[in-house]
Amino acid sequence: MNFFKKFSFSYVFLGITIILFSTSFKNYENSLYITLLFLFIANFTCFATEYLLTKYFENKEKNSDKKKRAMYATFIMGQVAVTLIVFFAFKNIFPTMV
């Protein structure tokens, strides 16, 4: 249970990215592979960043809840930005089949 609680945002983000981006590359050649690669890259960065963030706060027990919330808010904004950058990079790198 602790493992699921530790990465709670990453699991929510995984579900959201699957719902939002599952049909984004359907007109591309090898669309399944491109979609899976995109989802892997976007969600791997999310899980890795959240892992590093939780490790940072485990080592620093003196941090206040206010600082934790601020770091998580920054993490969420950064992750959304990284996902959009990766998405637009994929849209420009892989040519359409149409």
Side-chain angles (χ1 to χ4, degrees), residues 10 13-14 17-18 21 25 32-50 75 78-91 93-94:
S10 294
F13 190 77
L14 174 66
T17 55
I18 288 173
F21 297 107
F25 302 104
L32 178 64
Y33 297 121
I34 294 171
T35 303
L36 290 177
L37 181 64
F38 167 74
L39 291 173
F40 175 76
I41 291 172
N43 289 299
F44 178 76
T45 58
C46 184
F47 276 96
T49 308
E50 190 167 12
F75 160 65
Q79 190 57 44
V80 169
V82 166
T83 302
L84 290 175
I85 290 169
V86 170
F87 175 72
F88 288 120
F90 268 61
K91 281 292 199 179
I93 290 173
F94 297 107

Side-chain angles (χ1 to χ4, degrees), residues 54-68:
T54 56
K55 284 294 182 188
Y56 174 78
F57 281 118
E58 284 177 2
N59 294 335
K60 309 261 185 185
E61 294 184 15
K62 295 179 183 178
N63 290 324
S64 66
D65 286 337
K66 188 175 183 179
K67 187 173 181 181
K68 265 187 190 179

